[in-house]
Amino acid sequence: METDKPAASSEPAASGTGPATPETSPAPVPEAEQGAAAAPDPAGLSAEAIPTLGDVLLAAEELWPESLAEGWDAVGLVAGRPDNRVERILFAVDPTSEVIDEALEWGADLLLTHHPLLLKPVHSVAATGFKGDAVHRLIEGKCALLTVHTNGDSAVGGVSDVLADAFGLSGVVPLSAAEDGLPEEGIGRVGELPEATTLADFARLVFSIMPAVAGGVRVAGDPEGLVRRVAVCGGAGDSLFDAVRRHQADVYVTADLRHHPASEAREAAVNDRPYLIDVSHFGSEWLWLTPAAAALENVLGDQGFTAEIRVSGTNTDPWDFVLTPGLN
């Protein structure tokens, strides 16, 4: 998630050390049970139960309404025919070439990503460029592409809700409420830990939950300082410091914290709060994929449809290694 016009990502990428990796993520979302009365097709699914892309789009709109997307964002269907059948759906953070390889090799009919492929306007999708090549490969491979970005951040059960749940927060409310949404919809979340803990211990909890990336987790503040009220924003959230201060958060967990916004936030701190915890952009949003896949499977199941849904195992954090003092 980016809370205003997105800048280039600055988080480190996959390394061989750390708490978890997409390759060691929870098992792919299981295929829903098939209806007993329908005769199976050669793929093992009832022909009547297999949704069309249009059916999946309606289910996605129920979960992540496009009306919740930020005005600058580009969400929704990028490629695909609504009347095509969708038997296999792959969830991923980024529509990179490696993720598209994974989707096509698995035989996915739909790739659902958090980040848009075409966020900025384009005048050509010729295969001479990497984005045009991605579009061509998806179409030629008969795989649709759907983007759920800031609408997936703002919706109930979205990216920041998943972070809040992972950290054990209660009394959770949006950090910045949606203008035309429900009271519980909006960008970011803020809530309370079950009990106060030190910044160092809370940072260790955050590190243990995030997938392993080269950059690890960066922390600003007194390691022994006590924290209880926690603000979170999956993705780049350095435009939300006013909201963080308004909610009197002790610590703010987000990604892509640039030098000047972070420095100014520390200078403006009251009683040294809010402390800052900077995590991987990819990692903060990757946690959402499994709950989102399960939610889509449930909605499709409620509508009588069955699809095989899987979470990508590809780590698309762009960095490979990092050097720190004392290491060479």
PDB file of all heavy atoms in Angstrom, residues 156-192:
ATOM      1  N   VAL A 156     -12.290  -4.220   5.378  1.00  0.00           N
ATOM      2  CA  VAL A 156     -12.254  -5.048   6.578  1.00  0.00           C
ATOM      3  C   VAL A 156     -11.535  -6.354   6.238  1.00  0.00           C
ATOM      4  O   VAL A 156     -11.820  -6.989   5.223  1.00  0.00           O
ATOM      5  CB  VAL A 156     -13.673  -5.334   7.090  1.00  0.00           C
ATOM      6  CG1 VAL A 156     -13.631  -6.312   8.271  1.00  0.00           C
ATOM      7  CG2 VAL A 156     -14.359  -4.031   7.485  1.00  0.00           C
ATOM      8  N   GLY A 157     -10.590  -6.750   7.087  1.00  0.00           N
ATOM      9  CA  GLY A 157      -9.798  -7.940   6.800  1.00  0.00           C
ATOM     10  C   GLY A 157      -8.658  -7.670   5.845  1.00  0.00           C
ATOM     11  O   GLY A 157      -8.023  -8.615   5.364  1.00  0.00           O
ATOM     12  N   GLY A 158      -8.368  -6.388   5.581  1.00  0.00           N
ATOM     13  CA  GLY A 158      -7.321  -6.022   4.645  1.00  0.00           C
ATOM     14  C   GLY A 158      -5.930  -6.143   5.243  1.00  0.00           C
ATOM     15  O   GLY A 158      -5.725  -6.694   6.327  1.00  0.00           O
ATOM     16  N   VAL A 159      -4.965  -5.598   4.523  1.00  0.00           N
ATOM     17  CA  VAL A 159      -3.558  -5.756   4.869  1.00  0.00           C
ATOM     18  C   VAL A 159      -3.262  -5.333   6.305  1.00  0.00           C
ATOM     19  O   VAL A 159      -2.619  -6.060   7.070  1.00  0.00           O
ATOM     20  CB  VAL A 159      -2.677  -4.975   3.876  1.00  0.00           C
ATOM     21  CG1 VAL A 159      -1.222  -4.958   4.333  1.00  0.00           C
ATOM     22  CG2 VAL A 159      -2.777  -5.578   2.471  1.00  0.00           C
ATOM     23  N   SER A 160      -3.709  -4.148   6.693  1.00  0.00           N
ATOM     24  CA  SER A 160      -3.396  -3.659   8.036  1.00  0.00           C
ATOM     25  C   SER A 160      -4.180  -4.387   9.113  1.00  0.00           C
ATOM     26  O   SER A 160      -3.695  -4.533  10.250  1.00  0.00           O
ATOM     27  CB  SER A 160      -3.632  -2.146   8.113  1.00  0.00           C
ATOM     28  OG  SER A 160      -2.694  -1.454   7.306  1.00  0.00           O
ATOM     29  N   ASP A 161      -5.379  -4.860   8.802  1.00  0.00           N
ATOM     30  CA  ASP A 161      -6.111  -5.696   9.753  1.00  0.00           C
ATOM     31  C   ASP A 161      -5.337  -6.980  10.033  1.00  0.00           C
ATOM     32  O   ASP A 161      -5.287  -7.455  11.179  1.00  0.00           O
ATOM     33  CB  ASP A 161      -7.503  -6.046   9.212  1.00  0.00           C
ATOM     34  CG  ASP A 161      -8.570  -5.050   9.632  1.00  0.00           C
ATOM     35  OD1 ASP A 161      -8.401  -4.424  10.698  1.00  0.00           O
ATOM     36  OD2 ASP A 161      -9.556  -4.892   8.900  1.00  0.00           O
ATOM     37  N   VAL A 162      -4.752  -7.556   8.993  1.00  0.00           N
ATOM     38  CA  VAL A 162      -3.958  -8.777   9.172  1.00  0.00           C
ATOM     39  C   VAL A 162      -2.755  -8.509  10.069  1.00  0.00           C
ATOM     40  O   VAL A 162      -2.427  -9.304  10.956  1.00  0.00           O
ATOM     41  CB  VAL A 162      -3.524  -9.331   7.807  1.00  0.00           C
ATOM     42  CG1 VAL A 162      -2.512 -10.466   7.974  1.00  0.00           C
ATOM     43  CG2 VAL A 162      -4.734  -9.837   7.025  1.00  0.00           C
ATOM     44  N   LEU A 163      -2.086  -7.370   9.860  1.00  0.00           N
ATOM     45  CA  LEU A 163      -0.970  -7.004  10.728  1.00  0.00           C
ATOM     46  C   LEU A 163      -1.434  -6.823  12.168  1.00  0.00           C
ATOM     47  O   LEU A 163      -0.797  -7.314  13.112  1.00  0.00           O
ATOM     48  CB  LEU A 163      -0.316  -5.718  10.238  1.00  0.00           C
ATOM     49  CG  LEU A 163       0.531  -5.794   8.966  1.00  0.00           C
ATOM     50  CD1 LEU A 163       0.982  -4.387   8.564  1.00  0.00           C
ATOM     51  CD2 LEU A 163       1.732  -6.691   9.168  1.00  0.00           C
ATOM     52  N   ALA A 164      -2.541  -6.109  12.352  1.00  0.00           N
ATOM     53  CA  ALA A 164      -3.061  -5.884  13.704  1.00  0.00           C
ATOM     54  C   ALA A 164      -3.382  -7.203  14.395  1.00  0.00           C
ATOM     55  O   ALA A 164      -3.085  -7.384  15.587  1.00  0.00           O
ATOM     56  CB  ALA A 164      -4.294  -4.982  13.640  1.00  0.00           C
ATOM     57  N   ASP A 165      -3.984  -8.131  13.667  1.00  0.00           N
ATOM     58  CA  ASP A 165      -4.286  -9.445  14.233  1.00  0.00           C
ATOM     59  C   ASP A 165      -3.002 -10.190  14.581  1.00  0.00           C
ATOM     60  O   ASP A 165      -2.911 -10.843  15.635  1.00  0.00           O
ATOM     61  CB  ASP A 165      -5.108 -10.274  13.250  1.00  0.00           C
ATOM     62  CG  ASP A 165      -6.548  -9.792  13.115  1.00  0.00           C
ATOM     63  OD1 ASP A 165      -6.991  -9.008  13.973  1.00  0.00           O
ATOM     64  OD2 ASP A 165      -7.214 -10.192  12.138  1.00  0.00           O
ATOM     65  N   ALA A 166      -2.009 -10.121  13.697  1.00  0.00           N
ATOM     66  CA  ALA A 166      -0.745 -10.831  13.927  1.00  0.00           C
ATOM     67  C   ALA A 166      -0.039 -10.317  15.170  1.00  0.00           C
ATOM     68  O   ALA A 166       0.628 -11.081  15.881  1.00  0.00           O
ATOM     69  CB  ALA A 166       0.163 -10.683  12.707  1.00  0.00           C
ATOM     70  N   PHE A 167      -0.185  -9.025  15.465  1.00  0.00           N
ATOM     71  CA  PHE A 167       0.459  -8.438  16.637  1.00  0.00           C
ATOM     72  C   PHE A 167      -0.395  -8.557  17.899  1.00  0.00           C
ATOM     73  O   PHE A 167       0.005  -8.122  18.969  1.00  0.00           O
ATOM     74  CB  PHE A 167       0.774  -6.958  16.373  1.00  0.00           C
ATOM     75  CG  PHE A 167       1.701  -6.719  15.226  1.00  0.00           C
ATOM     76  CD1 PHE A 167       1.651  -5.529  14.510  1.00  0.00           C
ATOM     77  CD2 PHE A 167       2.623  -7.685  14.832  1.00  0.00           C
ATOM     78  CE1 PHE A 167       2.509  -5.304  13.437  1.00  0.00           C
ATOM     79  CE2 PHE A 167       3.483  -7.472  13.764  1.00  0.00           C
ATOM     80  CZ  PHE A 167       3.426  -6.282  13.070  1.00  0.00           C
ATOM     81  N   GLY A 168      -1.606  -9.116  17.754  1.00  0.00           N
ATOM     82  CA  GLY A 168      -2.471  -9.323  18.910  1.00  0.00           C
ATOM     83  C   GLY A 168      -3.153  -8.066  19.410  1.00  0.00           C
ATOM     84  O   GLY A 168      -3.485  -7.959  20.600  1.00  0.00           O
ATOM     85  N   LEU A 169      -3.422  -7.111  18.520  1.00  0.00           N
ATOM     86  CA  LEU A 169      -4.032  -5.849  18.938  1.00  0.00           C
ATOM     87  C   LEU A 169      -5.539  -6.010  19.157  1.00  0.00           C
ATOM     88  O   LEU A 169      -6.205  -6.785  18.466  1.00  0.00           O
ATOM     89  CB  LEU A 169      -3.790  -4.764  17.891  1.00  0.00           C
ATOM     90  CG  LEU A 169      -2.331  -4.458  17.521  1.00  0.00           C
ATOM     91  CD1 LEU A 169      -2.266  -3.270  16.576  1.00  0.00           C
ATOM     92  CD2 LEU A 169      -1.486  -4.210  18.766  1.00  0.00           C
ATOM     93  N   SER A 170      -6.069  -5.252  20.096  1.00  0.00           N
ATOM     94  CA  SER A 170      -7.505  -5.227  20.344  1.00  0.00           C
ATOM     95  C   SER A 170      -7.995  -3.784  20.250  1.00  0.00           C
ATOM     96  O   SER A 170      -7.203  -2.840  20.264  1.00  0.00           O
ATOM     97  CB  SER A 170      -7.823  -5.796  21.730  1.00  0.00           C
ATOM     98  OG  SER A 170      -7.216  -5.013  22.748  1.00  0.00           O
ATOM     99  N   GLY A 171      -9.326  -3.627  20.174  1.00  0.00           N
ATOM    100  CA  GLY A 171      -9.902  -2.288  20.055  1.00  0.00           C
ATOM    101  C   GLY A 171      -9.430  -1.580  18.802  1.00  0.00           C
ATOM    102  O   GLY A 171      -9.216  -0.361  18.812  1.00  0.00           O
ATOM    103  N   VAL A 172      -9.289  -2.311  17.715  1.00  0.00           N
ATOM    104  CA  VAL A 172      -8.671  -1.790  16.496  1.00  0.00           C
ATOM    105  C   VAL A 172      -9.624  -0.877  15.730  1.00  0.00           C
ATOM    106  O   VAL A 172     -10.803  -1.212  15.535  1.00  0.00           O
ATOM    107  CB  VAL A 172      -8.204  -2.958  15.597  1.00  0.00           C
ATOM    108  CG1 VAL A 172      -7.686  -2.452  14.261  1.00  0.00           C
ATOM    109  CG2 VAL A 172      -7.141  -3.778  16.320  1.00  0.00           C
ATOM    110  N   VAL A 173      -9.112   0.274  15.304  1.00  0.00           N
ATOM    111  CA  VAL A 173      -9.859   1.215  14.464  1.00  0.00           C
ATOM    112  C   VAL A 173      -8.943   1.678  13.336  1.00  0.00           C
ATOM    113  O   VAL A 173      -7.719   1.552  13.431  1.00  0.00           O
ATOM    114  CB  VAL A 173     -10.348   2.441  15.270  1.00  0.00           C
ATOM    115  CG1 VAL A 173     -11.332   2.020  16.351  1.00  0.00           C
ATOM    116  CG2 VAL A 173      -9.170   3.193  15.874  1.00  0.00           C
ATOM    117  N   PRO A 174      -9.519   2.194  12.237  1.00  0.00           N
ATOM    118  CA  PRO A 174      -8.672   2.698  11.152  1.00  0.00           C
ATOM    119  C   PRO A 174      -7.786   3.857  11.615  1.00  0.00           C
ATOM    120  O   PRO A 174      -8.203   4.679  12.431  1.00  0.00           O
ATOM    121  CB  PRO A 174      -9.676   3.159  10.098  1.00  0.00           C
ATOM    122  CG  PRO A 174     -10.921   2.397  10.387  1.00  0.00           C
ATOM    123  CD  PRO A 174     -10.946   2.252  11.882  1.00  0.00           C
ATOM    124  N   LEU A 175      -6.596   3.902  11.084  1.00  0.00           N
ATOM    125  CA  LEU A 175      -5.696   5.022  11.354  1.00  0.00           C
ATOM    126  C   LEU A 175      -6.195   6.259  10.616  1.00  0.00           C
ATOM    127  O   LEU A 175      -6.170   7.371  11.143  1.00  0.00           O
ATOM    128  CB  LEU A 175      -4.285   4.640  10.896  1.00  0.00           C
ATOM    129  CG  LEU A 175      -3.114   5.490  11.350  1.00  0.00           C
ATOM    130  CD1 LEU A 175      -3.065   5.625  12.855  1.00  0.00           C
ATOM    131  CD2 LEU A 175      -1.811   4.882  10.827  1.00  0.00           C
ATOM    132  N   SER A 176      -6.661   6.066   9.393  1.00  0.00           N
ATOM    133  CA  SER A 176      -7.265   7.134   8.597  1.00  0.00           C
ATOM    134  C   SER A 176      -8.536   6.571   7.968  1.00  0.00           C
ATOM    135  O   SER A 176      -8.471   5.748   7.053  1.00  0.00           O
ATOM    136  CB  SER A 176      -6.292   7.614   7.511  1.00  0.00           C
ATOM    137  OG  SER A 176      -6.879   8.596   6.692  1.00  0.00           O
ATOM    138  N   ALA A 177      -9.683   6.974   8.474  1.00  0.00           N
ATOM    139  CA  ALA A 177     -10.955   6.378   8.065  1.00  0.00           C
ATOM    140  C   ALA A 177     -11.264   6.661   6.599  1.00  0.00           C
ATOM    141  O   ALA A 177     -10.912   7.717   6.060  1.00  0.00           O
ATOM    142  CB  ALA A 177     -12.082   6.912   8.943  1.00  0.00           C
ATOM    143  N   ALA A 178     -11.924   5.705   5.944  1.00  0.00           N
ATOM    144  CA  ALA A 178     -12.347   5.879   4.558  1.00  0.00           C
ATOM    145  C   ALA A 178     -13.422   6.946   4.475  1.00  0.00           C
ATOM    146  O   ALA A 178     -14.321   7.009   5.328  1.00  0.00           O
ATOM    147  CB  ALA A 178     -12.868   4.556   4.000  1.00  0.00           C
ATOM    148  N   GLU A 179     -13.340   7.795   3.458  1.00  0.00           N
ATOM    149  CA  GLU A 179     -14.302   8.893   3.322  1.00  0.00           C
ATOM    150  C   GLU A 179     -15.717   8.391   3.094  1.00  0.00           C
ATOM    151  O   GLU A 179     -16.679   8.925   3.659  1.00  0.00           O
ATOM    152  CB  GLU A 179     -13.874   9.816   2.175  1.00  0.00           C
ATOM    153  CG  GLU A 179     -12.625  10.631   2.471  1.00  0.00           C
ATOM    154  CD  GLU A 179     -12.314  11.613   1.364  1.00  0.00           C
ATOM    155  OE1 GLU A 179     -13.159  11.747   0.446  1.00  0.00           O
ATOM    156  OE2 GLU A 179     -11.244  12.241   1.405  1.00  0.00           O
ATOM    157  N   ASP A 180     -15.861   7.378   2.248  1.00  0.00           N
ATOM    158  CA  ASP A 180     -17.190   6.905   1.892  1.00  0.00           C
ATOM    159  C   ASP A 180     -17.407   5.451   2.285  1.00  0.00           C
ATOM    160  O   ASP A 180     -18.230   4.761   1.678  1.00  0.00           O
ATOM    161  CB  ASP A 180     -17.414   7.070   0.382  1.00  0.00           C
ATOM    162  CG  ASP A 180     -17.312   8.515  -0.047  1.00  0.00           C
ATOM    163  OD1 ASP A 180     -17.890   9.371   0.643  1.00  0.00           O
ATOM    164  OD2 ASP A 180     -16.643   8.792  -1.070  1.00  0.00           O
ATOM    165  N   GLY A 181     -16.680   4.997   3.299  1.00  0.00           N
ATOM    166  CA  GLY A 181     -16.793   3.607   3.692  1.00  0.00           C
ATOM    167  C   GLY A 181     -17.449   3.429   5.047  1.00  0.00           C
ATOM    168  O   GLY A 181     -17.969   4.377   5.648  1.00  0.00           O
ATOM    169  N   LEU A 182     -17.403   2.197   5.529  1.00  0.00           N
ATOM    170  CA  LEU A 182     -17.902   1.887   6.859  1.00  0.00           C
ATOM    171  C   LEU A 182     -16.937   2.434   7.910  1.00  0.00           C
ATOM    172  O   LEU A 182     -15.771   2.705   7.605  1.00  0.00           O
ATOM    173  CB  LEU A 182     -18.031   0.365   7.006  1.00  0.00           C
ATOM    174  CG  LEU A 182     -18.988  -0.338   6.032  1.00  0.00           C
ATOM    175  CD1 LEU A 182     -18.863  -1.853   6.184  1.00  0.00           C
ATOM    176  CD2 LEU A 182     -20.417   0.111   6.275  1.00  0.00           C
ATOM    177  N   PRO A 183     -17.376   2.582   9.155  1.00  0.00           N
ATOM    178  CA  PRO A 183     -16.493   3.120  10.199  1.00  0.00           C
ATOM    179  C   PRO A 183     -15.223   2.308  10.381  1.00  0.00           C
ATOM    180  O   PRO A 183     -14.189   2.851  10.771  1.00  0.00           O
ATOM    181  CB  PRO A 183     -17.373   3.075  11.453  1.00  0.00           C
ATOM    182  CG  PRO A 183     -18.773   3.110  10.945  1.00  0.00           C
ATOM    183  CD  PRO A 183     -18.754   2.367   9.648  1.00  0.00           C
ATOM    184  N   GLU A 184     -15.288   0.998  10.113  1.00  0.00           N
ATOM    185  CA  GLU A 184     -14.120   0.147  10.308  1.00  0.00           C
ATOM    186  C   GLU A 184     -13.225   0.064   9.072  1.00  0.00           C
ATOM    187  O   GLU A 184     -12.209  -0.648   9.089  1.00  0.00           O
ATOM    188  CB  GLU A 184     -14.554  -1.263  10.737  1.00  0.00           C
ATOM    189  CG  GLU A 184     -15.464  -1.973   9.761  1.00  0.00           C
ATOM    190  CD  GLU A 184     -16.943  -1.757  10.049  1.00  0.00           C
ATOM    191  OE1 GLU A 184     -17.299  -0.665  10.524  1.00  0.00           O
ATOM    192  OE2 GLU A 184     -17.733  -2.683   9.784  1.00  0.00           O
ATOM    193  N   GLU A 185     -13.572   0.779   8.012  1.00  0.00           N
ATOM    194  CA  GLU A 185     -12.770   0.770   6.786  1.00  0.00           C
ATOM    195  C   GLU A 185     -11.881   2.003   6.721  1.00  0.00           C
ATOM    196  O   GLU A 185     -12.256   3.083   7.191  1.00  0.00           O
ATOM    197  CB  GLU A 185     -13.683   0.715   5.560  1.00  0.00           C
ATOM    198  CG  GLU A 185     -14.469  -0.583   5.450  1.00  0.00           C
ATOM    199  CD  GLU A 185     -15.486  -0.573   4.326  1.00  0.00           C
ATOM    200  OE1 GLU A 185     -15.989   0.516   3.974  1.00  0.00           O
ATOM    201  OE2 GLU A 185     -15.793  -1.660   3.807  1.00  0.00           O
ATOM    202  N   GLY A 186     -10.720   1.827   6.129  1.00  0.00           N
ATOM    203  CA  GLY A 186      -9.799   2.946   5.992  1.00  0.00           C
ATOM    204  C   GLY A 186      -8.363   2.464   5.933  1.00  0.00           C
ATOM    205  O   GLY A 186      -8.076   1.265   6.058  1.00  0.00           O
ATOM    206  N   ILE A 187      -7.434   3.403   5.777  1.00  0.00           N
ATOM    207  CA  ILE A 187      -6.022   3.065   5.642  1.00  0.00           C
ATOM    208  C   ILE A 187      -5.378   2.947   7.023  1.00  0.00           C
ATOM    209  O   ILE A 187      -5.562   3.803   7.891  1.00  0.00           O
ATOM    210  CB  ILE A 187      -5.284   4.133   4.816  1.00  0.00           C
ATOM    211  CG1 ILE A 187      -5.887   4.209   3.406  1.00  0.00           C
ATOM    212  CG2 ILE A 187      -3.791   3.830   4.737  1.00  0.00           C
ATOM    213  CD1 ILE A 187      -5.779   2.933   2.601  1.00  0.00           C
ATOM    214  N   GLY A 188      -4.595   1.883   7.242  1.00  0.00           N
ATOM    215  CA  GLY A 188      -3.908   1.676   8.504  1.00  0.00           C
ATOM    216  C   GLY A 188      -4.856   1.270   9.616  1.00  0.00           C
ATOM    217  O   GLY A 188      -6.080   1.333   9.487  1.00  0.00           O
ATOM    218  N   ARG A 189      -4.274   0.823  10.722  1.00  0.00           N
ATOM    219  CA  ARG A 189      -5.048   0.452  11.906  1.00  0.00           C
ATOM    220  C   ARG A 189      -4.265   0.867  13.153  1.00  0.00           C
ATOM    221  O   ARG A 189      -3.045   0.967  13.133  1.00  0.00           O
ATOM    222  CB  ARG A 189      -5.302  -1.067  11.955  1.00  0.00           C
ATOM    223  CG  ARG A 189      -6.132  -1.616  10.784  1.00  0.00           C
ATOM    224  CD  ARG A 189      -7.560  -1.131  10.822  1.00  0.00           C
ATOM    225  NE  ARG A 189      -8.400  -1.774   9.812  1.00  0.00           N
ATOM    226  CZ  ARG A 189      -8.642  -1.284   8.619  1.00  0.00           C
ATOM    227  NH1 ARG A 189      -8.083  -0.136   8.245  1.00  0.00           N
ATOM    228  NH2 ARG A 189      -9.435  -1.911   7.766  1.00  0.00           N
ATOM    229  N   VAL A 190      -4.988   1.059  14.257  1.00  0.00           N
ATOM    230  CA  VAL A 190      -4.362   1.351  15.537  1.00  0.00           C
ATOM    231  C   VAL A 190      -5.147   0.614  16.613  1.00  0.00           C
ATOM    232  O   VAL A 190      -6.378   0.531  16.554  1.00  0.00           O
ATOM    233  CB  VAL A 190      -4.308   2.877  15.812  1.00  0.00           C
ATOM    234  CG1 VAL A 190      -5.695   3.484  15.847  1.00  0.00           C
ATOM    235  CG2 VAL A 190      -3.547   3.186  17.088  1.00  0.00           C
ATOM    236  N   GLY A 191      -4.417   0.021  17.577  1.00  0.00           N
ATOM    237  CA  GLY A 191      -5.061  -0.730  18.638  1.00  0.00           C
ATOM    238  C   GLY A 191      -4.113  -0.946  19.797  1.00  0.00           C
ATOM    239  O   GLY A 191      -3.002  -0.401  19.822  1.00  0.00           O
ATOM    240  N   GLU A 192      -4.537  -1.761  20.755  1.00  0.00           N
ATOM    241  CA  GLU A 192      -3.791  -1.950  21.993  1.00  0.00           C
ATOM    242  C   GLU A 192      -3.239  -3.364  22.098  1.00  0.00           C
ATOM    243  O   GLU A 192      -3.930  -4.344  21.786  1.00  0.00           O
ATOM    244  CB  GLU A 192      -4.714  -1.707  23.195  1.00  0.00           C
ATOM    245  CG  GLU A 192      -5.394  -0.365  23.223  1.00  0.00           C
ATOM    246  CD  GLU A 192      -4.505   0.717  23.835  1.00  0.00           C
ATOM    247  OE1 GLU A 192      -3.556   0.350  24.545  1.00  0.00           O
ATOM    248  OE2 GLU A 192      -4.795   1.908  23.601  1.00  0.00           O
TER     249      GLU A 192
END
